[in-house]
Amino acid sequence: MTGPVNLREVEQAARALLDRVRDDYFAGGAQDEVTVRGNESAFARLALLPRVLTGAGDPSPEVTVLGERVSMPVLLAPTAFHELAHPEGERATARAAAAAGTILISAMLSTVAIEDIAAEARKVSSEHEPPIWFQLYLQPDLGFTEAIVRRAEAAGCRALVVTADSPALGRHERNDRNDFHDLPPGMNCPNLREQAGEVRNVVLSPEISWRHLEWLRETTSLPILVKGVLHPDDARLAADHGADGVIVSNHGGRQLDTTPPSIRLLPRIADAVEGRVPVLLDGGVRRGTDVVKALALGARAVAIGRPVVWGLAYDGEAGVTKVLDLLRREIVNALALCGYADPAAVRRDLVEEVSWR
Ligand SMILES: Cc1cc2nc3c(=O)[nH]c(=O)nc-3n(C[C@H](O)[C@H](O)[C@H](O)COP(=O)(O)O)c2cc1C
């Protein structure tokens, strides 16, 4: 194999190519970035306790998520502004996700319109409609929110992912230092374009509440996932308010700093929802073993954020494909070494907490 052999090496290669301002935007997080580091290091504090002689056979990493059969338990988390990473932006990401047979959660703040992203994904999967979910920041202007939802539906998106952890924007001091607060000329967020042609700004409002989720539930028949759940009570409330899934996430440490690592909260959240809705997780997933740990602790699947952007910056569509291929191979290997063939069968007793010293 030539080039990077794991996600960390893709990261290194990508970051060497990006200018300082963009590298800081992608890699950075809120304030002291305690949570950014914690997400990754928490996986290292979990050990795997494999079973032997299970005769499980060859692993198949396929799983079903909200009725969607995907090639592996890894989705592409919504990340904004892909044209900052590569001139093809989300077009390249969409092709790589479709070719890999997994779900792209397309960000509302994409630099390519959702209709064009969906069209691009269709180019590489002629047999079936490639699964795209749409990430939504509920806007206080419900008429505008509804217009965006209708666009996502018309584009063929198969679920809505409501990001709930953003009643305000996290404080990114790297962006302050770089005075980076606007997209460069020529880039914008076409999903926010109104019929009149004007591109609005996104509003992150502390007034958004469960009532808005109820409104959304009545406004669309698409499945709704709530992303950014950390408290077990909120996971329960999401299910009570008609959510079809929850994503345990601290936004990759980009919103409230010093929240616990998402993997730490996963078992409590899985217990709280009692199987009423599937639980997904993102934050710090960099290895196939990380994925298997999340499955063991109650996740149906995980999502990756920065690794996708780094793949894109490293080599466009081929770079994202590389990231997804590397991870798929690692998952198959990890499952085999743990004595499992089926990701859905992985049990909680596979994971132990350790301090390595
Ligand atoms: C550059 C960047 C942009 C992001 N933009 C969004 C966004 O627009 N909406 C959203 O819900 N999450 C966004 N996220 C958070 C991701 O969806 C995800 O929660 C996080 O990246 C997972 O952590 P990881 O990067 O360690 O995999 C963003 C993350 C990054 C790194």
Side-chain angles (χ1 to χ4, degrees):
M1 193 172 351
T2 58
V5 299
N6 58 43
L7 268 52
R8 291 201 196 286
E9 291 187 10
V10 174
E11 170 180 350
Q12 283 163 10
R15 296 184 66 176
L17 292 170
L18 286 165
D19 69 42
R20 170 72 184 273
V21 174
R22 294 177 190 209
D23 179 45
D24 276 343
Y25 169 72
F26 290 128
Q31 293 181 334
D32 296 313
E33 303 181 347
V34 171
T35 299
V36 176
R37 291 186 296 276
N39 277 344
E40 287 193 27
S41 58
F43 279 106
R45 285 196 300 275
L46 298 174
L48 286 166
L49 194 62
R51 300 305 301 267
V52 299
L53 300 177
T54 62
D58 283 336
S60 157
E62 287 183 20
V63 293
T64 302
V65 186
L66 287 183
E68 213 81 76
R69 194 75 185 154
V70 288
S71 68
M72 61 174 159
V74 178
L75 284 54
L76 286 75
T79 48
F81 310 150
H82 285 194
E83 285 183 357
L84 287 175
H86 189 274
E88 279 199 279
E90 289 83 359
R91 290 185 179 83
T93 316
R95 290 196 302 271
T102 193
I103 295 164
L104 167 67
I105 308 178
S106 198
M108 178 160 124
L109 299 181
S110 54
T111 43
V112 173
I114 185 59
E115 295 82 3
D116 298 331
I117 291 172
E120 210 64 30
R122 274 186 210 109
K123 283 185 190 166
V124 290
S125 71
S126 49
E127 289 157 44
H128 63 284
E129 280 281 294
I132 297 180
W133 295 355
F134 187 80
Q135 178 265 324
L136 182 68
Y137 288 113
L138 286 165
Q139 298 296 286
D141 178 344
L142 290 181
F144 184 49
T145 307
E146 181 171 353
I148 296 175
V149 169
R150 297 288 171 251
R151 277 183 67 180
E153 290 171 342
C157 296
R158 298 222 282 258
L160 296 175
V161 174
V162 172
T163 301
D165 60 15
S166 305
L169 188 62
R171 300 293 321 138
H172 291 221
E173 293 174 8
R174 298 199 205 205
N175 294 345
D176 290 347
R177 203 175 296 121
N178 297 329
D179 199 19
F180 180 63
H181 302 290
D182 287 309
L183 286 172
M187 286 185 210
N188 60 34
C189 297
N191 294 336
L192 302 181
R193 194 182 297 280
E194 293 189 283
Q195 270 171 348
E198 190 198 336
V199 180
R200 285 213 204 179
N201 283 327
V202 70
V203 176
L204 301 182
S205 165
E207 283 166 26
I208 301 298
S209 74
W210 294 110
R211 289 215 339 261
H212 293 82
L213 197 73
E214 281 168 19
W215 168 85
L216 185 67
R217 181 66 295 166
E218 283 161 21
T219 301
T220 181
S221 57
L222 288 177
I224 298 172
L225 295 95
V226 179
K227 173 176 183 279
V229 172
L230 295 176
H231 198 295
D233 287 348
D234 283 338
R236 243 179 257 120
L237 282 169
D240 291 346
H241 286 85
D244 300 282
V246 297
I247 306 182
V248 183
S249 171
N250 50 38
H251 215 114
R254 295 165 76 84
Q255 283 294 91
L256 176 63
D257 195 22
T258 73
T259 61
S262 45
I263 189 68
R264 279 250 154 199
L265 298 166
L266 176 61
R268 279 159 66 197
I269 291 184
D271 289 345
V273 303
E274 297 177 303
R276 292 161 71 199
V277 296
V279 177
L280 280 66
L281 167 135
D282 72 29
V285 174
R286 303 293 181 264
R287 284 288 189 186
T289 46
D290 298 341
V291 178
V292 171
K293 288 170 190 177
L295 298 175
L297 295 178
R300 180 73 55 88
V302 304
I304 51 171
R306 292 181 185 84
V308 169
V309 176
W310 285 323
L312 188 62
Y314 167 63
D315 196 14
E317 177 185 352
V320 179
T321 297
K322 173 139 215 149
V323 164
L324 297 172
D325 282 350
L326 286 169
L327 210 45
R328 187 188 297 98
R329 222 176 305 169
E330 289 188 10
I331 293 166
V332 168
N333 181 248
L335 285 171
L337 290 171
C338 288
Y340 284 99
D342 178 6
V346 174
R347 290 161 35 126
R348 204 177 271 193
D349 68 357
L350 183 62
V351 171
E352 290 236 336
E353 223 175 290
V354 289
S355 69
W356 295 104
R357 276 162 299 165

